[in-house]
Amino acid sequence: MIKAGMETEAAHDHMLTTEYASLLAMEFNRNPVINDEAAFDIYTPPPHPNPASLPARPPVVTIMGHVDHGKTTLLDTLRSTSVAKGEAGGITQHIGAFTVPVPASGNTSESTRTITFLDTPGHAAFSAMRARGASVTDIVVLVVAADDGIMPQTREVLNLVKNSKVGLVVAINKVDKPGVDITKVEHALLAEGVQLETFDGDVPCVPVSGLTGQGLDQLVETLSALAEMQDLRSEQEGVLQGYVLESKVTKGLGPTGTVLVLRGSLKPGQHIICGGASAKVRMLSDSTGKPVKVAYPGMAVTVSGWKELPNAGDEVLTGTEADIKKALANRARKAEMESTLADIEAINAQRRVEREKREAEDTAENQEETTTTEAQAEGPKELRLVIKGDVSGSVEAVSNALEIIGNDLARTKIVATAVGDVTESDVMRAKAAEGVVIAFNVKVPRPVEAEANSQHVPILTSSVIYKLMDDVTARVIELLPPIIEKRVTGEAAVLQLFDIHLKGKKTTQVGGCRVTNGVVEKNKLARVVRDGEVIHEGHLDTLKQHKKDMTEIGRGTDCGLNLAGFNDLRVGDTIQMFEEITLPGKL
């Protein structure tokens, strides 16, 4: 490129225009074919050349922490405190965002400022949602219970923060409980690499109680001060940039998505694109359900008017209706191409595995190895799942949690995922796949339930993700080959051998035995142990005591017995009676 006079375009991150790309192709004696329409897309707007001149925007604060560490109680208390002061504020499950007003510092002309809070689930299965929350936030509030300390999701949040440029504030919750040791929690955080202000670090630490409201004012003041230090600014006009926090199907409104605006403004009537979905904004509403005329940076609003349900975590951009149609077509074509490439890789991998198995079969030394290879060629058994959930983030979390259940012998396979109540088409899809319908936090209408019963399609419903995981794990275990355990119920030592004459000049061998352990029962299985090795397994043909047929003989008693189809008993052999117990497989 430098030799061709393209020094300024030779940087590794420079995007070539079609003209430059054509010139470069012709340098290598190639005939370029230009298709601007196929390359068209809507991209993130470039950063403002002078950010200091832009108006300030509210900080976006994400509440994170381990499950049951008090995040929801803390948010509820913040929300109720805000309402009690007569200010606008609210929180709902599907939005997970609300605004708290705070007094502005003396060096600003504004009388009040606002902080936008986002909530994230604490359960391990929702790690993707927490990562999404960390990617759009300015400050993370790490909630740590004073009576519980550092837990797995606490460490996960710390790793997310370390790998990003967001600010961190630690809130030690439940300090109102008697006997809690805040110093112990602070030292535990220090051991995890969190430099708290208590130990001359730069991470603020605020003791709070979500139950009583203790320390919440100090927490809000700390967040406000940290936001002023970050000097968060953004355009309030111009091209829109935001992210979908959550999406769901709302009765009466159709597909809706909660959009966090980061740059520009969002108004009714605008055409927006988000991944493979688009919308003409019909209505905006805030966290309390009130209509909003325009959403500025830092605001989270519910957007209705989507043609398809947007995916949580996708970027929201704006453009003309024609541009969005072109961009959607190209994104769909690109996704189809990537899917085809992935299918080709999967086919090649499958063919390679089959080729290796054929080679293994050809070089197998005995029939046992061949049988093993054939058993492996069948592949693991699959529990096929059709997943329905209340919001797209939950569907994603449930899918991620369920798809990792299994091993080399049995596993789960997700056939389809969607948002909304369970429908008859979901039941028929599960029927065709011989699978199970998973309904997370959604309703199953009676006609659909009746259809599922008639089609013998199981529907697992729950609003608790770890209960669903337990149910699915139990069904995967049922697919595993059972574990057969042999439990010895009695033992007898062979002391003497007798030949008994039968009709037709035939003889059979009877062992004179003494029961040394347990009970010898005629209806149990028997095995002959000689020099520590099992040489025969089968059933008893005869069990007698003084010419009297017996069904069982207890310990210390002499008896005579012989085994069906076996006439090679020897003095000193041990005859063990056992039963086979079938146990479920283990993952």
Side-chain angles (χ1 to χ4, degrees), residues 222-278:
T222 303
L223 294 172
S224 180
L226 193 60
E228 286 186 20
M229 290 170 60
Q230 290 182 339
D231 193 27
L232 303 168
R233 297 179 179 275
S234 183
E235 304 97 317
Q236 291 194 354
E237 298 296 335
V239 183
L240 168 77
Q241 182 193 6
Y243 286 90
V244 173
L245 298 177
E246 205 54 275
S247 60
K248 64 180 294 187
V249 178
T250 307
K251 192 173 182 179
L253 294 176
T256 60
T258 304
V259 176
L260 174 67
V261 180
L262 294 181
R263 297 172 62 187
S265 58
L266 181 60
K267 303 172 185 175
Q270 279 184 323
H271 291 276
I272 57 177
I273 185 172
C274 174
S278 65

Short mmCIF file of all heavy atoms in Angstrom, two decimals, residues 222-278:
data_model
loop_
_atom_site.label_atom_id
_atom_site.label_comp_id
_atom_site.label_asym_id
_atom_site.label_seq_id
_atom_site.Cartn_x
_atom_site.Cartn_y
_atom_site.Cartn_z
N THR A 222 -22.02 9.71 47.91
CA THR A 222 -20.77 9.15 47.39
C THR A 222 -20.87 8.93 45.88
O THR A 222 -19.93 9.26 45.13
CB THR A 222 -20.45 7.82 48.09
OG1 THR A 222 -20.39 8.04 49.50
CG2 THR A 222 -19.13 7.25 47.61
N LEU A 223 -21.99 8.39 45.43
CA LEU A 223 -22.19 8.16 43.99
C LEU A 223 -22.21 9.48 43.22
O LEU A 223 -21.64 9.58 42.13
CB LEU A 223 -23.48 7.39 43.76
CG LEU A 223 -23.53 5.95 44.28
CD1 LEU A 223 -24.94 5.38 44.15
CD2 LEU A 223 -22.54 5.07 43.52
N SER A 224 -22.87 10.49 43.79
CA SER A 224 -22.95 11.80 43.14
C SER A 224 -21.56 12.43 43.02
O SER A 224 -21.20 12.97 41.97
CB SER A 224 -23.88 12.72 43.94
OG SER A 224 -23.98 13.98 43.33
N ALA A 225 -20.77 12.32 44.10
CA ALA A 225 -19.41 12.89 44.07
C ALA A 225 -18.54 12.15 43.06
O ALA A 225 -17.77 12.77 42.30
CB ALA A 225 -18.78 12.80 45.46
N LEU A 226 -18.65 10.84 43.00
CA LEU A 226 -17.87 10.05 42.05
C LEU A 226 -18.26 10.38 40.61
O LEU A 226 -17.39 10.46 39.73
CB LEU A 226 -18.07 8.55 42.32
CG LEU A 226 -17.11 7.57 41.65
CD1 LEU A 226 -15.68 7.86 42.07
CD2 LEU A 226 -17.47 6.13 41.98
N ALA A 227 -19.55 10.60 40.39
CA ALA A 227 -20.02 10.96 39.05
C ALA A 227 -19.49 12.33 38.63
O ALA A 227 -19.11 12.55 37.47
CB ALA A 227 -21.55 10.95 39.01
N GLU A 228 -19.43 13.30 39.57
CA GLU A 228 -18.89 14.63 39.25
C GLU A 228 -17.41 14.54 38.91
O GLU A 228 -16.92 15.25 38.03
CB GLU A 228 -19.11 15.58 40.43
CG GLU A 228 -20.56 16.02 40.59
CD GLU A 228 -20.73 17.07 41.68
OE1 GLU A 228 -19.74 17.72 42.02
OE2 GLU A 228 -21.85 17.22 42.18
N MET A 229 -16.70 13.64 39.60
CA MET A 229 -15.27 13.46 39.30
C MET A 229 -15.08 12.86 37.92
O MET A 229 -14.14 13.20 37.20
CB MET A 229 -14.62 12.56 40.36
CG MET A 229 -14.49 13.21 41.72
SD MET A 229 -14.00 12.02 43.00
CE MET A 229 -12.42 11.47 42.36
N GLN A 230 -15.99 11.97 37.50
CA GLN A 230 -15.89 11.36 36.17
C GLN A 230 -16.26 12.34 35.06
O GLN A 230 -15.89 12.13 33.90
CB GLN A 230 -16.79 10.13 36.08
CG GLN A 230 -16.31 8.95 36.92
CD GLN A 230 -17.22 7.74 36.78
OE1 GLN A 230 -18.37 7.86 36.39
NE2 GLN A 230 -16.70 6.56 37.11
N ASP A 231 -17.00 13.41 35.41
CA ASP A 231 -17.40 14.45 34.45
C ASP A 231 -18.07 13.82 33.23
O ASP A 231 -17.57 13.90 32.10
CB ASP A 231 -16.18 15.29 34.04
CG ASP A 231 -16.61 16.56 33.30
OD1 ASP A 231 -17.74 17.03 33.55
OD2 ASP A 231 -15.82 17.07 32.46
N LEU A 232 -19.21 13.18 33.46
CA LEU A 232 -19.92 12.47 32.40
C LEU A 232 -20.71 13.45 31.54
O LEU A 232 -21.57 14.18 32.04
CB LEU A 232 -20.86 11.44 33.02
CG LEU A 232 -20.19 10.42 33.95
CD1 LEU A 232 -21.23 9.65 34.73
CD2 LEU A 232 -19.30 9.48 33.14
N ARG A 233 -20.41 13.46 30.25
CA ARG A 233 -21.09 14.38 29.33
C ARG A 233 -21.48 13.63 28.06
O ARG A 233 -20.82 12.66 27.67
CB ARG A 233 -20.18 15.58 28.99
CG ARG A 233 -19.84 16.42 30.20
CD ARG A 233 -18.91 17.58 29.86
NE ARG A 233 -18.64 18.37 31.04
CZ ARG A 233 -19.42 19.35 31.49
NH1 ARG A 233 -20.54 19.63 30.84
NH2 ARG A 233 -19.11 20.02 32.58
N SER A 234 -22.55 14.13 27.44
CA SER A 234 -23.03 13.47 26.22
C SER A 234 -23.92 14.41 25.43
O SER A 234 -24.52 15.34 26.00
CB SER A 234 -23.79 12.19 26.59
OG SER A 234 -24.19 11.51 25.44
N GLU A 235 -24.00 14.15 24.11
CA GLU A 235 -24.87 14.96 23.26
C GLU A 235 -26.33 14.70 23.62
O GLU A 235 -26.73 13.56 23.83
CB GLU A 235 -24.66 14.61 21.78
CG GLU A 235 -23.22 14.72 21.29
CD GLU A 235 -22.52 13.38 21.30
OE1 GLU A 235 -22.70 12.66 22.30
OE2 GLU A 235 -21.78 13.08 20.35
N GLN A 236 -27.12 15.76 23.67
CA GLN A 236 -28.55 15.61 23.90
C GLN A 236 -29.35 15.71 22.61
O GLN A 236 -30.56 15.49 22.60
CB GLN A 236 -29.05 16.66 24.90
CG GLN A 236 -28.54 16.44 26.31
CD GLN A 236 -29.29 17.26 27.33
OE1 GLN A 236 -30.13 18.10 26.97
NE2 GLN A 236 -29.01 17.04 28.60
N GLU A 237 -28.68 16.02 21.53
CA GLU A 237 -29.32 16.07 20.22
C GLU A 237 -28.46 15.27 19.24
O GLU A 237 -27.32 14.93 19.53
CB GLU A 237 -29.47 17.52 19.74
CG GLU A 237 -30.34 18.39 20.64
CD GLU A 237 -31.79 17.93 20.70
OE1 GLU A 237 -32.23 17.27 19.72
OE2 GLU A 237 -32.45 18.21 21.70
N GLY A 238 -29.02 15.01 18.09
CA GLY A 238 -28.24 14.33 17.07
C GLY A 238 -28.50 12.83 17.05
O GLY A 238 -29.55 12.35 17.50
N VAL A 239 -27.51 12.08 16.56
CA VAL A 239 -27.67 10.65 16.32
C VAL A 239 -27.78 9.91 17.66
O VAL A 239 -27.03 10.16 18.59
CB VAL A 239 -26.49 10.10 15.50
CG1 VAL A 239 -26.71 8.62 15.20
CG2 VAL A 239 -26.34 10.87 14.20
N LEU A 240 -28.73 8.97 17.70
CA LEU A 240 -28.99 8.21 18.93
C LEU A 240 -28.04 7.03 19.06
O LEU A 240 -27.70 6.36 18.09
CB LEU A 240 -30.44 7.69 18.90
CG LEU A 240 -30.82 6.65 19.96
CD1 LEU A 240 -31.02 7.32 21.30
CD2 LEU A 240 -32.06 5.89 19.54
N GLN A 241 -27.60 6.78 20.31
CA GLN A 241 -26.92 5.53 20.64
C GLN A 241 -27.42 5.07 22.01
O GLN A 241 -27.45 5.85 22.97
CB GLN A 241 -25.40 5.70 20.69
CG GLN A 241 -24.68 4.38 21.00
CD GLN A 241 -23.22 4.56 21.35
OE1 GLN A 241 -22.74 5.68 21.49
NE2 GLN A 241 -22.50 3.46 21.53
N GLY A 242 -27.82 3.82 22.10
CA GLY A 242 -28.30 3.28 23.36
C GLY A 242 -28.18 1.76 23.34
O GLY A 242 -27.66 1.18 22.38
N TYR A 243 -28.66 1.13 24.40
CA TYR A 243 -28.62 -0.33 24.50
C TYR A 243 -29.93 -0.85 25.06
O TYR A 243 -30.54 -0.19 25.92
CB TYR A 243 -27.46 -0.79 25.39
CG TYR A 243 -26.11 -0.66 24.74
CD1 TYR A 243 -25.36 0.50 24.88
CD2 TYR A 243 -25.60 -1.68 23.96
CE1 TYR A 243 -24.12 0.63 24.27
CE2 TYR A 243 -24.36 -1.57 23.34
CZ TYR A 243 -23.63 -0.41 23.51
OH TYR A 243 -22.42 -0.29 22.90
N VAL A 244 -30.35 -2.01 24.57
CA VAL A 244 -31.54 -2.66 25.11
C VAL A 244 -31.15 -3.41 26.38
O VAL A 244 -30.28 -4.28 26.37
CB VAL A 244 -32.14 -3.65 24.09
CG1 VAL A 244 -33.28 -4.45 24.71
CG2 VAL A 244 -32.67 -2.89 22.88
N LEU A 245 -31.78 -3.03 27.50
CA LEU A 245 -31.53 -3.71 28.77
C LEU A 245 -32.38 -4.96 28.90
O LEU A 245 -31.94 -5.97 29.44
CB LEU A 245 -31.82 -2.77 29.95
CG LEU A 245 -30.99 -1.49 30.04
CD1 LEU A 245 -31.46 -0.66 31.22
CD2 LEU A 245 -29.52 -1.81 30.18
N GLU A 246 -33.61 -4.88 28.43
CA GLU A 246 -34.54 -6.00 28.57
C GLU A 246 -35.60 -5.89 27.50
O GLU A 246 -35.87 -4.80 27.00
CB GLU A 246 -35.19 -5.96 29.96
CG GLU A 246 -35.69 -7.29 30.47
CD GLU A 246 -34.60 -8.36 30.45
OE1 GLU A 246 -34.41 -8.98 29.40
OE2 GLU A 246 -33.94 -8.57 31.47
N SER A 247 -36.20 -7.02 27.14
CA SER A 247 -37.28 -6.99 26.15
C SER A 247 -38.30 -8.06 26.50
O SER A 247 -37.95 -9.10 27.06
CB SER A 247 -36.72 -7.20 24.74
OG SER A 247 -36.08 -8.45 24.64
N LYS A 248 -39.54 -7.81 26.16
CA LYS A 248 -40.61 -8.76 26.43
C LYS A 248 -41.81 -8.43 25.56
O LYS A 248 -41.87 -7.36 24.93
CB LYS A 248 -41.01 -8.73 27.91
CG LYS A 248 -41.61 -7.39 28.35
CD LYS A 248 -42.00 -7.40 29.80
CE LYS A 248 -43.12 -8.34 30.11
NZ LYS A 248 -43.60 -8.22 31.50
N VAL A 249 -42.77 -9.34 25.53
CA VAL A 249 -44.03 -9.11 24.82
C VAL A 249 -45.06 -8.64 25.84
O VAL A 249 -45.36 -9.36 26.79
CB VAL A 249 -44.51 -10.38 24.10
CG1 VAL A 249 -45.84 -10.12 23.41
CG2 VAL A 249 -43.48 -10.86 23.09
N THR A 250 -45.57 -7.42 25.67
CA THR A 250 -46.53 -6.84 26.60
C THR A 250 -47.92 -6.87 25.99
O THR A 250 -48.10 -6.52 24.82
CB THR A 250 -46.13 -5.38 26.93
OG1 THR A 250 -44.78 -5.36 27.38
CG2 THR A 250 -47.04 -4.80 28.01
N LYS A 251 -48.88 -7.30 26.79
CA LYS A 251 -50.26 -7.38 26.30
C LYS A 251 -50.75 -5.98 25.93
O LYS A 251 -50.69 -5.04 26.72
CB LYS A 251 -51.14 -7.99 27.39
CG LYS A 251 -52.53 -8.38 26.90
CD LYS A 251 -53.29 -9.12 27.98
CE LYS A 251 -54.67 -9.56 27.48
NZ LYS A 251 -55.42 -10.30 28.50
N GLY A 252 -51.28 -5.83 24.74
CA GLY A 252 -51.79 -4.55 24.27
C GLY A 252 -50.76 -3.70 23.56
O GLY A 252 -51.12 -2.79 22.81
N LEU A 253 -49.47 -3.97 23.79
CA LEU A 253 -48.41 -3.18 23.15
C LEU A 253 -47.55 -4.01 22.20
O LEU A 253 -46.84 -3.46 21.37
CB LEU A 253 -47.50 -2.55 24.22
CG LEU A 253 -48.12 -1.49 25.12
CD1 LEU A 253 -47.11 -1.04 26.18
CD2 LEU A 253 -48.58 -0.28 24.30
N GLY A 254 -47.61 -5.33 22.33
CA GLY A 254 -46.77 -6.19 21.50
C GLY A 254 -45.34 -6.22 22.03
O GLY A 254 -45.10 -6.03 23.22
N PRO A 255 -44.36 -6.42 21.15
CA PRO A 255 -42.95 -6.44 21.60
C PRO A 255 -42.52 -5.09 22.15
O PRO A 255 -42.75 -4.05 21.52
CB PRO A 255 -42.17 -6.79 20.32
CG PRO A 255 -43.18 -7.38 19.39
CD PRO A 255 -44.48 -6.72 19.72
N THR A 256 -41.94 -5.11 23.33
CA THR A 256 -41.42 -3.87 23.95
C THR A 256 -39.99 -4.12 24.41
O THR A 256 -39.61 -5.25 24.72
CB THR A 256 -42.26 -3.42 25.14
OG1 THR A 256 -42.26 -4.45 26.14
CG2 THR A 256 -43.68 -3.10 24.74
N GLY A 257 -39.21 -3.05 24.46
CA GLY A 257 -37.83 -3.15 24.94
C GLY A 257 -37.47 -1.98 25.82
O GLY A 257 -37.89 -0.84 25.55
N THR A 258 -36.73 -2.23 26.87
CA THR A 258 -36.24 -1.16 27.75
C THR A 258 -34.91 -0.68 27.21
O THR A 258 -33.94 -1.45 27.16
CB THR A 258 -36.06 -1.67 29.18
OG1 THR A 258 -37.30 -2.20 29.63
CG2 THR A 258 -35.64 -0.55 30.09
N VAL A 259 -34.86 0.56 26.77
CA VAL A 259 -33.67 1.12 26.13
C VAL A 259 -33.01 2.13 27.06
O VAL A 259 -33.67 3.05 27.56
CB VAL A 259 -34.03 1.79 24.79
CG1 VAL A 259 -32.80 2.45 24.17
CG2 VAL A 259 -34.62 0.76 23.83
N LEU A 260 -31.72 1.96 27.30
CA LEU A 260 -30.93 2.94 28.04
C LEU A 260 -30.25 3.84 27.02
O LEU A 260 -29.44 3.40 26.22
CB LEU A 260 -29.89 2.23 28.92
CG LEU A 260 -28.90 3.15 29.64
CD1 LEU A 260 -29.62 3.98 30.69
CD2 LEU A 260 -27.78 2.36 30.28
N VAL A 261 -30.60 5.13 27.05
CA VAL A 261 -30.03 6.09 26.10
C VAL A 261 -28.68 6.57 26.63
O VAL A 261 -28.57 7.01 27.79
CB VAL A 261 -30.98 7.30 25.91
CG1 VAL A 261 -30.39 8.29 24.91
CG2 VAL A 261 -32.35 6.83 25.43
N LEU A 262 -27.65 6.49 25.79
CA LEU A 262 -26.32 6.96 26.18
C LEU A 262 -25.91 8.24 25.46
O LEU A 262 -25.20 9.07 26.01
CB LEU A 262 -25.28 5.87 25.90
CG LEU A 262 -25.39 4.59 26.74
CD1 LEU A 262 -24.27 3.63 26.38
CD2 LEU A 262 -25.35 4.90 28.23
N ARG A 263 -26.37 8.38 24.19
CA ARG A 263 -26.05 9.59 23.41
C ARG A 263 -27.27 9.97 22.59
O ARG A 263 -28.05 9.11 22.19
CB ARG A 263 -24.86 9.34 22.49
CG ARG A 263 -23.56 9.02 23.21
CD ARG A 263 -22.47 8.59 22.24
NE ARG A 263 -22.13 9.64 21.28
CZ ARG A 263 -21.30 9.45 20.25
NH1 ARG A 263 -20.77 8.27 20.05
NH2 ARG A 263 -21.03 10.44 19.43
N GLY A 264 -27.42 11.26 22.32
CA GLY A 264 -28.53 11.72 21.51
C GLY A 264 -29.84 11.70 22.27
O GLY A 264 -29.87 11.67 23.51
N SER A 265 -30.93 11.71 21.54
CA SER A 265 -32.26 11.70 22.17
C SER A 265 -33.16 10.75 21.41
O SER A 265 -33.00 10.52 20.21
CB SER A 265 -32.86 13.11 22.16
OG SER A 265 -32.94 13.61 20.84
N LEU A 266 -34.12 10.19 22.14
CA LEU A 266 -35.07 9.22 21.57
C LEU A 266 -36.47 9.82 21.68
O LEU A 266 -36.90 10.20 22.77
CB LEU A 266 -34.98 7.90 22.32
CG LEU A 266 -35.88 6.76 21.85
CD1 LEU A 266 -35.57 6.40 20.41
CD2 LEU A 266 -35.69 5.54 22.74
N LYS A 267 -37.17 9.88 20.54
CA LYS A 267 -38.49 10.50 20.51
C LYS A 267 -39.47 9.58 19.78
O LYS A 267 -39.06 8.78 18.92
CB LYS A 267 -38.44 11.85 19.78
CG LYS A 267 -37.44 12.85 20.35
CD LYS A 267 -37.31 14.06 19.46
CE LYS A 267 -36.22 15.01 19.96
NZ LYS A 267 -36.00 16.14 19.03
N PRO A 268 -40.76 9.70 20.08
CA PRO A 268 -41.76 8.95 19.31
C PRO A 268 -41.71 9.34 17.84
O PRO A 268 -41.49 10.51 17.49
CB PRO A 268 -43.09 9.37 19.96
CG PRO A 268 -42.72 9.80 21.34
CD PRO A 268 -41.37 10.42 21.23
N GLY A 269 -41.90 8.36 16.96
CA GLY A 269 -41.86 8.61 15.53
C GLY A 269 -40.52 8.32 14.88
O GLY A 269 -40.43 8.20 13.66
N GLN A 270 -39.45 8.18 15.70
CA GLN A 270 -38.14 7.87 15.14
C GLN A 270 -38.08 6.42 14.66
O GLN A 270 -38.72 5.54 15.22
CB GLN A 270 -37.04 8.09 16.20
CG GLN A 270 -36.61 9.54 16.37
CD GLN A 270 -35.47 9.66 17.36
OE1 GLN A 270 -35.43 8.93 18.35
NE2 GLN A 270 -34.55 10.57 17.11
N HIS A 271 -37.26 6.19 13.64
CA HIS A 271 -36.99 4.83 13.17
C HIS A 271 -35.68 4.38 13.80
O HIS A 271 -34.66 5.07 13.68
CB HIS A 271 -36.88 4.80 11.64
CG HIS A 271 -38.19 5.04 10.95
ND1 HIS A 271 -39.11 4.05 10.73
CD2 HIS A 271 -38.73 6.19 10.46
CE1 HIS A 271 -40.16 4.55 10.11
NE2 HIS A 271 -39.97 5.86 9.93
N ILE A 272 -35.69 3.23 14.48
CA ILE A 272 -34.50 2.74 15.16
C ILE A 272 -34.23 1.29 14.76
O ILE A 272 -35.14 0.57 14.33
CB ILE A 272 -34.63 2.83 16.71
CG1 ILE A 272 -35.87 2.08 17.20
CG2 ILE A 272 -34.66 4.27 17.16
CD1 ILE A 272 -36.01 2.07 18.72
N ILE A 273 -32.96 0.90 14.89
CA ILE A 273 -32.54 -0.47 14.56
C ILE A 273 -31.76 -1.03 15.74
O ILE A 273 -31.03 -0.30 16.41
CB ILE A 273 -31.69 -0.48 13.27
CG1 ILE A 273 -31.35 -1.92 12.87
CG2 ILE A 273 -30.41 0.34 13.44
CD1 ILE A 273 -30.68 -2.03 11.51
N CYS A 274 -31.96 -2.32 16.00
CA CYS A 274 -31.29 -2.97 17.12
C CYS A 274 -31.01 -4.42 16.72
O CYS A 274 -31.92 -5.25 16.72
CB CYS A 274 -32.16 -2.92 18.38
SG CYS A 274 -31.50 -3.83 19.78
N GLY A 275 -29.76 -4.71 16.35
CA GLY A 275 -29.44 -6.06 15.89
C GLY A 275 -30.23 -6.39 14.65
O GLY A 275 -30.16 -5.70 13.63
N GLY A 276 -31.04 -7.46 14.69
CA GLY A 276 -31.88 -7.84 13.57
C GLY A 276 -33.31 -7.37 13.70
O GLY A 276 -34.18 -7.81 12.95
N ALA A 277 -33.58 -6.45 14.66
CA ALA A 277 -34.93 -5.94 14.88
C ALA A 277 -34.96 -4.44 14.59
O ALA A 277 -33.95 -3.74 14.68
CB ALA A 277 -35.37 -6.20 16.31
N SER A 278 -36.15 -3.95 14.24
CA SER A 278 -36.32 -2.52 13.98
C SER A 278 -37.65 -2.06 14.54
O SER A 278 -38.52 -2.87 14.87
CB SER A 278 -36.25 -2.23 12.47
OG SER A 278 -37.36 -2.84 11.82
#
